[in-house]
Amino acid sequence: MAQESPKNSAAEIPVTSNGQLEDSHDHSFNRDLKCSLPVGLGLSETKITSHGFDGAKEGVVEAGQFPNKGSSMSPKSSVISPSSAAASRLAGLGCDLIIPTGGRAQQKSGPVVLADEVKNPAMEKLELVRKWSLNTYKCTRQIISEKLGRGSRTVDLELEAQIDILRDNKKKYENILRLAQTLSTQLFQMVHTQRQLGDAFADLSLKSLELHEEFGYNADTQKLLAKNGETLLGAINFFIASVNTLVNKTIEDTLLTVKQYESARIEYDAYRTDLEELNLGPRDANTLPKIEQSQQLFQVHKEKYDKMRNDVSIKLKFLEENKVKVLHNQLVLFHNAIAAYFAGNQKQLEQTLKQFHIKLKTPGADAPSWLEEQ
């Protein structure tokens, strides 16, 4: 009983995950393990469990139940270091075993479960920048190729003609607007001069008895002209405000939609050209995914282009109806007011303003304070 069997001696050799001998502190662990085992324990009294390559107990030898042979020690179960073959298999699978000083083998790394990656805001922004850069590059290339006469562009002849007419009309309306503003400024200066001249005639009428009637007639005439001029000025300012709204708001809003339509057209042509170039190239395992992705992007921009073209057509239609209605009323107002003023028909001039619901400011009324204007 004093002499140990070779089998037990082989079980005492500690082996690490790379198949080399342990350090000196692991020999003490094996000596304690030797003391815990009863003398004469052979392989017949042990059992070897193996659960395949995915088990955590590969090559672990567990001591089974054994009878008490001449010893008062109670039966204990112990774990012996993995064998050399098991350790080499575990090392090949990347599963390292750590044998702590306490005595029981622990697994350093086990099966790794890949969870869904958390979306990183920085990565999302980077992806948006990448897509924007790619889209800008394609559109810039399309614009340059069109200007050089190398690239093809999609043209809706009817819609393009309407857009050109609208832009030309906008320039003409802006010219009318500038001239009407100049006329309003000059008329305001003339009315102001006539009012001052009437006051001067009235003052001289009181101080010159021999010319009392003559100064009085001229004072009344100038004051009447100044009053009619203020009425005409109100009509012209109303005409300017209406035309300004039509040109700088209604037409400008439609032209903004036209710009969006033109941008969508450039993107559509850029991705169409890209798809055509890919279709002309070879079709293999590398190019087929690119062609499919390009086809999807082309379809997205085609839908956007069709939608913007439809929006522009609708806005042009409503703009034409609104423009005719607004300009008809304003041109009638401008004509009647000018004709009545220079004909000296004060009654007709006032009736024209009432017809278009134009209210004049009371002469001499104080201007609103800055607090009321806020």
Side-chain angles (χ1 to χ4, degrees), residues 32 55 62 67 88 106 119 135 146 154 165 183 210 347:
D32 296 338
E62 297 180 357
S88 62
Q106 295 181 356
K119 292 184 178 180
N135 185 72
E146 289 180 3
T154 304
I165 293 174
L183 178 62
E210 64 279 5
K347 184 177 181 181

Side-chain angles (χ1 to χ4, degrees), residues 332-358:
V332 170
L333 166 67
F334 191 83
H335 171 267
N336 292 343
I338 292 290
Y341 171 79
F342 285 100
N345 192 341
Q346 181 182 0
K347 184 177 181 181
Q348 183 180 356
L349 183 60
E350 293 177 353
Q351 186 66 29
T352 301
L353 267 67
K354 290 180 180 178
Q355 179 182 356
F356 291 92
H357 307 285
I358 301 174

Side-chain angles (χ1 to χ4, degrees), residues 299-356:
Q299 188 64 30
V300 170
H301 287 86
K302 182 178 184 301
E303 293 176 358
K304 180 181 178 181
Y305 167 73
D306 293 337
K307 179 180 180 300
M308 293 306 304
R309 181 175 58 181
N310 187 44
D311 292 346
V312 170
S313 300
I314 294 174
K315 281 203 171 186
L316 287 174
K317 180 180 178 181
F318 282 106
L319 174 63
E320 187 66 22
E321 296 176 357
N322 187 29
K323 181 191 70 174
V324 171
K325 182 179 179 180
V326 170
L327 288 181
H328 170 76
N329 293 334
Q330 296 305 316
L331 291 173
V332 170
L333 166 67
F334 191 83
H335 171 267
N336 292 343
I338 292 290
Y341 171 79
F342 285 100
N345 192 341
Q346 181 182 0
K347 184 177 181 181
Q348 183 180 356
L349 183 60
E350 293 177 353
Q351 186 66 29
T352 301
L353 267 67
K354 290 180 180 178
Q355 179 182 356
F356 291 92

Side-chain angles (χ1 to χ4, degrees), residues 250-267:
T250 309
I251 295 180
E252 189 64 28
D253 179 70
T254 304
L255 289 178
L256 180 61
T257 307
V258 170
K259 291 180 181 179
Q260 295 174 355
Y261 157 74
E262 291 177 345
S263 298
R265 197 274 308 166
I266 292 174
E267 291 180 352

Side-chain angles (χ1 to χ4, degrees), residues 192-260:
H192 181 67
T193 303
Q194 287 175 340
R195 189 182 298 110
Q196 289 180 336
L197 188 59
D199 294 339
F201 283 149
D203 184 61
L204 290 173
S205 175
L206 296 175
K207 295 180 180 180
S208 301
L209 298 179
E210 64 279 5
L211 297 174
H212 172 72
E213 293 183 359
E214 288 80 357
F215 280 122
Y217 293 152
N218 283 280
D220 293 340
T221 301
Q222 294 299 322
K223 288 181 180 179
L224 180 60
L225 289 175
K227 182 180 179 180
N228 291 341
E230 290 176 353
T231 305
L232 177 62
L233 189 62
I236 293 176
N237 289 336
F238 185 77
F239 172 82
I240 291 173
S242 300
V243 175
N244 181 65
T245 301
L246 175 65
V247 173
N248 294 323
K249 290 187 177 180
T250 309
I251 295 180
E252 189 64 28
D253 179 70
T254 304
L255 289 178
L256 180 61
T257 307
V258 170
K259 291 180 181 179
Q260 295 174 355

